[in-house]
Amino acid sequence: QLQLQESGPGQVKPSETLSLTCSVSGGSIISNNDYWGWIRQPPGKGLEWIGSIYYGGSTYYNPSLKRRVTISADTSKNQFSLRLNSVTAADTAVYYCARHLRGPSGYFSNNWFDPWGQGTLVAVSS
Amino acid sequence: QSVLTQPPSVSAAPGQKVTISCSGSSSNIGNSYVSWYLQLPGTAPKLLIYDNNMRPSGIPDRFSGSKSGTSATLGITGLQTGDEAFYYCGTWDSSLSAVIFGGGTKLTVL
C-alpha cells in the first residue's frame, strides 16, 4: 500500500526558505504515469496546489507561486522535496504531499491526487 | 476567492441524500475532468471521485459524481454521522495552467 510522509521544520522565520521532504513507501516514485505533488492548506482555509514533479525531473508549478518554488526528486531515496523561498506569514499552512495521477491521455486536464500524506504544519514566525 | 464555487455548507438528516455543487467555467470544468475529496476533521484529504464519476477502490457506492457543462455535482446517499466533513472539488484550469480546488463545503448530518 502506497504511503507518503512529510517531514521538515515546523517553524520558519520570515524571509527564509521553507524546506520539506516527502518520503514514499510501498511503491516507487519511478512510475511512468505518476507525478508527485505538493498541496497546502492555510489554517481554516481551502486547498492550494503548489506544484508537481515527474521522477525524470519535469515540473509543473502553480503560476502564483512559481517564482518562489522549487520541487525536486531523489530517486535513490524514493523522496521528493519542496523549497519555498522568501516566506511570509501568508505561507503558514499544513503542507501535504500526494501522488498526482493523470488519465490515459496523460494531460493534466484529467488529474487527481491519491493518496495523500498526513500533512505537516509549517508556521512562519520570528 | 476560489475559481470553483461550492456552497459553504449543506446539511441533511441521517439516511437522507445530499448533493454538493461545484461551479466553474469553460476554462476549467467545461474542458476538464473533476475530482472530489473528503476531509474529515484534523485529517488529510481523501480521494472520493475521479474522472467526474469514478470511485476508487474502497469508496462505497453511496458516493457518486456527475458533470454537466461547467458544473459538477457530488451526491451522497444514506447519510451517516461519519460523513460529516469538508468536501472539495478539484480540476485543471487551462487559463491559469494550474490545478484548482473549490473553496470546500462543510456537510452537517443533523
Side-chain angles (χ1 to χ4, degrees), chain A:
Chain A
Q1 182 182 358
L2 190 69
Q3 292 185 314
L4 292 83
Q5 177 69 59
E6 306 86 352
S7 60
Q11 185 169 333
V12 180
K13 291 182 169 57
S15 79
E16 295 190 345
T17 297
L18 179 159
S19 295
L20 295 174
T21 295
C22 182
S23 299
V24 178
S25 60
S28 174
I29 67 169
I30 301 176
S31 176
N32 282 341
N33 197 44
D34 298 342
Y35 271 67
W36 303 89
W38 288 96
I39 306 100
R40 70 180 183 178
Q41 185 173 35
K45 296 187 178 181
L47 303 169
E48 180 181 33
W49 173 67
I50 300 170
S52 300
I53 188 167
Y54 187 65
Y55 79 91
S58 173
T59 53
Y60 284 84
Y61 296 133
N62 189 326
S64 67
L65 296 168
K66 186 174 183 176
R67 65 178 179 84
R68 297 195 292 132
V69 172
T70 302
I71 297 176
S72 58
D74 186 336
T75 57
S76 67
K77 295 182 179 179
N78 215 33
Q79 296 174 337
F80 60 104
S81 299
L82 168 70
R83 288 175 57 87
L84 181 65
N85 302 326
S86 305
V87 298
T88 69
D91 295 310
T92 294
V94 175
Y95 285 77
Y96 297 100
C97 60
R99 182 175 59 173
H100 191 180
L101 298 108
R102 298 167 298 163
S105 69
Y107 295 112
F108 278 112
S109 57
N110 186 0
N111 80 94
W112 61 96
F113 296 94
D114 181 53
W116 297 56
Q118 67 182 30
T120 186
L121 175 62
V122 180
V124 178
S125 172
S126 55

Side-chain angles (χ1 to χ4, degrees), chain B residues 6-80:
Chain B
Q6 296 182 236
S9 64
V10 296
S11 62
Q16 296 301 303
K17 174 182 178 178
V18 71
T19 59
I20 297 173
S21 61
C22 176
S23 178
S25 69
S26 59
S27 66
N28 42 68
I29 293 178
N31 282 286
S32 298
Y33 290 77
V34 177
S35 54
W36 289 90
Y37 303 88
L38 153 73
Q39 187 174 34
L40 295 166
T43 69
K46 176 182 178 180
L47 179 68
L48 276 181
I49 298 288
Y50 67 100
D51 280 8
N52 299 331
N53 56 17
M54 299 298 293
R55 281 177 287 105
S57 173
I59 300 300
D61 59 7
R62 299 189 300 110
F63 296 90
S64 64
S66 64
K67 189 188 102 166
S68 178
T70 58
S71 293
T73 301
L74 174 70
I76 311 173
T77 60
L79 278 172
Q80 304 171 359

